[in-house]
Amino acid sequence: MKYLLLFLLGVLGLCAADKPCLFCEIAAGRLEASMIWRDESVMAFLSIGPRNVGHVLVVPVQHAEGILDLPPATAHHMMDVAQKIVRAIKQTDLPAEGFNLKLNSGAAAGQTVFHVHLHVIPRFAAEPPEPPPGTRVAKAQLDPIADKIRAKLDLAATL
Ligand code: 5GP
Ligand code: ZN
């Protein structure tokens, strides 16, 4: 029994080790995302578990786990793209009274996807209730939101 348990734990460990990085899969086009921005070093797409409507993730194209693994130029460019996205969201009819720009680096800080990303989250003084963790929104619902933001980005892409 003990050996069976050890065997099963080993198999589970191997599976976890083999699991591809979600955001590298999106960067490679093997996993779909409601994409808003893409250039040589940075992409931005909607979170599938949004804190609020229009919750965007700004993500380096090249894998980097945490903040210190990022080339400084990419970190700076992520902030530039986040600023463009905030400006674009404000030009849509999506509601937002303020924004959080938030980067969780390390499990202790709440990072759950270990490919570093900057959250851009529309916020409100009287905040709607937070969706329970794990609440996923279908791509068909996210795509029209991404389209709205992208349309304004094209007009607002000067810093
Ligand atoms: P963290 O907790 O690592 O700071 O944030 C992870 C973010 O990635 C959350 O907003 C979560 O909803 C989002 N997320 C997790 N898996 C996927 C996915 O497969 N696609 C997209 N678009 N977002 C994801
Ligand atoms: Zn990755």
Side-chain angles (χ1 to χ4, degrees), residues 47-52 55 129-138 141-142:
S47 168
I48 52 164
R51 170 71 179 78
N52 279 324
H55 179 166
E130 187 159 7
T135 306
R136 298 214 157 193
V137 175
Q141 264 175 276
L142 293 175

Side-chain angles (χ1 to χ4, degrees), residues 18-33 35 38 43 45 59-63 113 115:
D18 281 351
K19 229 173 157 189
C21 167
L22 279 177
F23 292 173
C24 283
E25 290 296 286
I26 290 175
R30 287 188 290 269
L31 188 65
E32 286 191 315
M35 200 58 75
R38 173 85 194 228
M43 57 188 173
F45 47 82
V59 183
V61 171
Q62 286 296 315
H63 183 85
V113 175
H115 179 138

Side-chain angles (χ1 to χ4, degrees), residues 81-103:
V81 171
Q83 191 184 39
K84 289 176 198 291
I85 286 168
V86 168
R87 190 179 288 129
I89 291 174
K90 283 174 71 67
Q91 291 179 21
T92 68
D93 61 357
L94 297 171
E97 292 172 358
F99 290 87
N100 281 143
L101 270 64
K102 184 163 166 266
L103 190 154

